[in-house]
Amino acid sequence: SLTYAMNGTLGGLVSITGACGLVEPWAAVIIGLVAGLIYLTMSKLLVRMRIDDAVDAVPVHMTNGIWGTIATGLFANSKRIKLAYGKVNDVGVFMGGDGRLLGCQCCGVLFVVGWVTLIMFPFFCVLNYMGWFRASASDEVEGLDSSYHCSTLLLNSQVGPAARYGKNNQQLRRSLDTMEGVEENTSPPQQRHIIHP
């Protein structure tokens, strides 16, 4: 699909960013190809795990950022390291290195993952506790631009759905909020029949 092609390309760009000055062109091609495979695998895994990532940010940026960091420790060569840093302490494992560079890259990945988890996990827990972590079903139907950002979409000189439906739209939101409360207290959940104005 076009989405997979575009996100696979972005994943390749993310993965080569850290190593672009330290690897040969042939190694950059390999890094990009592996990045595409990592993206496809992680994207499908998130769907199977029922984790909502509408724009595939985790497969594109997180996993391919990790891969690109590790790939530097695999493919960096001495000539390019010397050009970039003036001296060579170690090279990539596939280029004859002893693994010190790869170890440093892996430590960097672990540090960043740990730091982000330590900082962001409590923040997300607070958002979840306050009920701000996820939009309600009625907000999703209305559209997050209008419900969260008070924005209206102009199409052919007409205002967007939130303003166009006015009072009816507010009734729809109240109905959906009521249904959400009913569904939480009902087992099994009732099927929704929503008639849009």
Side-chain angles (χ1 to χ4, degrees), residues 33-48:
L33 288 172
V34 171
L37 296 173
I38 289 172
Y39 161 71
L40 290 172
T41 303
M42 286 303 298
S43 179
K44 291 177 181 177
L45 180 64
L46 287 181
V47 171
R48 285 185 62 200

Side-chain angles (χ1 to χ4, degrees), residues 81-99:
I81 291 174
K82 188 167 177 69
L83 281 172
Y85 300 108
K87 64 178 184 172
V88 180
N89 291 328
D90 192 23
V91 297
V93 170
F94 296 156
M95 308 304 285
D98 60 14

Side-chain angles (χ1 to χ4, degrees), residues 134-169:
R134 182 155 178 98
S136 68
S138 60
D139 285 337
E140 290 179 5
V141 168
E142 181 179 340
L144 297 181
D145 282 339
S146 69
S147 62
Y148 275 63
H149 308 297
C150 301
S151 136
T152 56
L153 179 65
L154 297 178
L155 293 172
N156 299 326
S157 301
Q158 295 180 358
V159 293
R164 183 165 52 238
Y165 297 139
K167 200 169 25 171
N168 292 335
N169 200 32

Side-chain angles (χ1 to χ4, degrees), residues 5-172:
M6 291 180 354
N7 281 338
T9 303
L10 281 174
L13 291 170
V14 168
S15 67
I16 193 56
T17 300
C20 64
L22 306 177
V23 300
E24 296 291 340
W26 62 265
V29 171
I30 292 172
I31 291 169
L33 288 172
V34 171
L37 296 173
I38 289 172
Y39 161 71
L40 290 172
T41 303
M42 286 303 298
S43 179
K44 291 177 181 177
L45 180 64
L46 287 181
V47 171
R48 285 185 62 200
M49 293 173 65
R50 300 177 59 102
I51 296 175
D52 185 17
D53 186 2
V55 295
D56 274 345
V58 168
V60 170
H61 295 281
M62 188 189 85
T63 56
N64 279 310
I66 291 171
W67 160 240
T69 305
I70 292 170
T72 304
L74 298 175
F75 293 103
N77 76 17
S78 59
K79 181 179 78 173
R80 292 181 179 269
I81 291 174
K82 188 167 177 69
L83 281 172
Y85 300 108
K87 64 178 184 172
V88 180
N89 291 328
D90 192 23
V91 297
V93 170
F94 296 156
M95 308 304 285
D98 60 14
R100 285 181 296 147
L101 178 59
L102 179 61
C104 287
Q105 297 298 103
C106 290
C107 284
V109 167
L110 292 174
F111 177 81
V112 170
V113 169
W115 179 71
V116 170
T117 302
L118 184 69
I119 297 296
M120 296 309 295
F121 184 73
F123 177 70
F124 287 138
C125 287
V126 169
L127 287 179
N128 192 42
Y129 177 77
M130 300 290 286
W132 299 341
F133 196 62
R134 182 155 178 98
S136 68
S138 60
D139 285 337
E140 290 179 5
V141 168
E142 181 179 340
L144 297 181
D145 282 339
S146 69
S147 62
Y148 275 63
H149 308 297
C150 301
S151 136
T152 56
L153 179 65
L154 297 178
L155 293 172
N156 299 326
S157 301
Q158 295 180 358
V159 293
R164 183 165 52 238
Y165 297 139
K167 200 169 25 171
N168 292 335
N169 200 32
Q170 294 303 320
Q171 290 170 351
L172 173 64

